Amino acid sequence: MEITVTVNDEPYRRSVEPRLLLVHFLRDDLGLTGTHWGCDTSNCGTCVVWLDGLPVKSCTVLAAMADGKRVRTVEDLADGPRLDPVQQGFVACHGVQCGFCTPAMLMTARWLLDRDPDPDEDTIREAISGQLCRCTGYENIVRAVRWAAEHPDGEA
């Protein structure tokens, strides 16, 4: 089937199998490998992207379901060489360990901060609760999101 989808503000028209998952479309067809694929069951949450502005687990969305929609991936967070404040926070607060959950955490954190620029710890933990991190115990990730909230323009 033919789909037209806008990914990171770039329009794409592709022929896809009806059963193709969005995560595989992004990674295999478009070469956007920042979105990770982890569990095949939607439990790990490493595949979070935005679909029409909402975070979704792209392993639970068919590429065909993205037809006519906008997708945003982690590759779109930075503004050229300038990292998004969320990315800067993950660096500053050591929110990255192995890095496998990082893209999804970044996308979820950016979505949260766009809606709540000053979330408390409980709100942050609730927002990221759909993603598993096996390295950090979430402490540094929560600190990184708070850092981004306190530095909405990033570092100078």
Side-chain angles (χ1 to χ4, degrees), residues 78-83:
D79 183 13
R82 183 168 170 76
L83 296 178

Side-chain angles (χ1 to χ4, degrees), residues 19-25 27-28 36-48 57-62 100 130 132 134:
R19 67 177 182 260
L20 181 68
L21 294 173
L22 182 58
V23 66
H24 297 303
F25 175 74
R27 292 180 58 81
D28 301 337
H36 292 163
W37 173 52
C39 68
D40 260 347
T41 61
S42 80
N43 288 321
C44 74
T46 63
C47 64
V48 170
K57 293 179 180 180
S58 61
C59 75
T60 64
V61 177
L62 296 171
F100 199 69
L132 298 178
R134 295 187 174 139

Side-chain angles (χ1 to χ4, degrees), residues 4-134:
T4 301
V5 60
T6 301
V7 180
N8 299 334
D9 295 323
E10 188 75 29
Y12 294 92
R13 183 169 179 80
R14 294 287 194 276
S15 180
V16 299
E17 290 288 326
R19 67 177 182 260
L20 181 68
L21 294 173
L22 182 58
V23 66
H24 297 303
F25 175 74
L26 294 170
R27 292 180 58 81
D28 301 337
D29 290 26
L30 302 186
L32 298 171
T33 58
T35 301
H36 292 163
W37 173 52
C39 68
D40 260 347
T41 61
S42 80
N43 288 321
C44 74
T46 63
C47 64
V48 170
V49 299
W50 295 2
L51 183 62
D52 279 348
L54 295 174
V56 298
K57 293 179 180 180
S58 61
C59 75
T60 64
V61 177
L62 296 171
M65 295 167 69
D67 185 34
K69 299 186 183 303
R70 302 179 71 78
V71 175
R72 186 175 186 200
T73 71
V74 70
E75 286 89 351
D76 193 47
L77 278 185
D79 183 13
R82 183 168 170 76
L83 296 178
D84 183 273
V86 172
Q87 292 169 307
Q88 292 178 32
F90 270 66
V91 172
C93 299
H94 309 288
V96 177
Q97 293 289 308
C98 80
F100 199 69
C101 72
T102 304
M105 291 286 188
L106 292 169
M107 295 303 291
T108 301
R110 170 55 31 220
W111 183 86
L112 170 64
L113 292 174
D114 286 350
R115 278 136 194 86
D116 182 353
D118 191 27
D120 61 22
E121 182 177 331
D122 289 339
T123 302
I124 295 168
R125 287 183 182 279
E126 175 67 24
I128 64 172
S129 67
Q131 286 122 330
L132 298 178
C133 174
R134 295 187 174 139

